[in-house]
Amino acid sequence: KAKLRISFKAAMLGKFYDNITPSSTGGQPMQIIYLSKKGYSIADSTAIVITRFFVQMFAWVFVGGFFMIAGSSSLSSIADPAGRTTLQVFAWVGLGMILSLPLLTLSFIFFPKLTGAIVRFFLRVGHKLHIVKDKDKMIEKANKGVDDFVNSVKLMCTKPLSFILLIILSLLEPLLTIVLPFFILISFTGDSITLASLFNVMSLYVYAHF
């Protein structure tokens, strides 16, 4: 059963540890620990957090991809052609890297044999290069992550209204994040608010973000 107070605290805890750990990697583990201490099983806690994480990533990619395609003309405000091209290329590479993790996990679900073979190949190469110490342990860890994700999907499928609400809230988060620089800009420059300038600033922020 969802509890608003626990949900709010888990969200704030996740944001806090995302902002103080390298590469924003600390939020999810702390959320799992917190939820488990509040009476949720480790399996349910993991499923909740993983589902939120993957939906959030898809939401960022969807919103980011939309503004990068529809707002590509905003790059014309960058006078240096080399800088403009560099920003555009690296932004698309960054978006692709973010999308790669959930797509890899989905491929584990729909193409388990093919994906498993590819992962084992890279782990063997990593083991020979002394990058991966225990390849069997890494494979087991990867399989566990996929199992947790599958369980989380099954959990959300039993609550379609909650899943729809999760998608809506996950889409609102990147939209609120990328609109913030525009209002900061307006507050410093005193310019009037226009839809064209709003869209351009949001698009430029997305390019810089990715």
Side-chain angles (χ1 to χ4, degrees):
K1 184 179 179 181
K3 297 177 182 178
L4 183 60
R5 181 170 176 167
I6 292 176
S7 299
F8 178 78
K9 285 188 174 182
M12 294 299 102
L13 191 71
K15 284 296 180 186
F16 175 77
Y17 281 98
D18 274 347
N19 288 319
I20 66 170
T21 53
S23 303
S24 301
T25 55
Q28 286 80 28
M30 288 299 178
Q31 286 177 317
I32 293 171
I33 292 170
Y34 174 76
L35 290 173
S36 65
K37 287 186 175 182
K38 291 298 179 181
Y40 295 89
S41 68
I42 291 292
D44 287 346
S45 300
T46 304
I48 291 165
V49 172
I50 288 179
T51 303
R52 165 74 176 99
F53 177 69
F54 278 95
V55 173
Q56 180 189 33
M57 292 178 76
F58 277 120
W60 268 101
V61 168
F62 178 79
V63 172
F66 170 79
F67 277 94
M68 285 166 66
I69 293 171
S72 58
S73 60
S74 64
L75 292 171
S76 61
S77 59
I78 302 173
D80 179 27
R84 183 166 60 244
T85 303
T86 301
L87 178 63
Q88 190 171 23
V89 169
F90 274 90
W92 280 109
V93 170
L95 186 141
M97 291 175 67
I98 291 173
L99 184 60
S100 64
L101 182 59
L103 286 182
L104 179 62
T105 304
L106 289 176
S107 68
F108 266 106
I109 298 170
F110 295 108
F111 311 103
K113 292 183 179 179
L114 175 63
T115 312
I118 293 171
V119 169
R120 284 192 294 274
F121 169 76
F122 280 107
L123 286 175
R124 281 196 296 269
V125 172
H127 184 67
K128 289 182 179 180
L129 295 173
H130 302 289
I131 298 172
V132 177
K133 293 182 179 179
D134 190 342
K135 63 177 183 296
D136 293 330
K137 186 177 180 180
M138 289 295 292
I139 292 173
E140 184 183 349
K141 186 177 180 181
N143 289 334
K144 184 181 182 303
V146 174
D147 290 341
D148 287 339
F149 179 70
V150 172
N151 290 334
S152 69
V153 171
K154 289 179 180 178
L155 177 70
M156 292 306 299
C157 287
T158 63
K159 299 177 179 290
L161 291 178
S162 297
F163 191 55
I164 292 170
L165 180 61
L166 173 61
I167 293 173
I168 294 171
L169 292 174
S170 295
L171 287 170
L172 283 175
E173 181 182 1
L175 287 172
L176 290 172
T177 302
I178 67 176
V179 79
L180 182 61
F182 174 74
F183 290 104
I184 294 174
L185 186 67
I186 293 296
S187 67
F188 277 97
T189 62
D191 293 341
S192 58
I193 298 176
T194 65
L195 287 177
S197 61
L198 171 65
F199 194 82
N200 283 333
V201 171
M202 291 174 75
S203 299
L204 286 171
Y205 177 86
V206 166
Y207 275 107
H209 176 86
F210 284 105

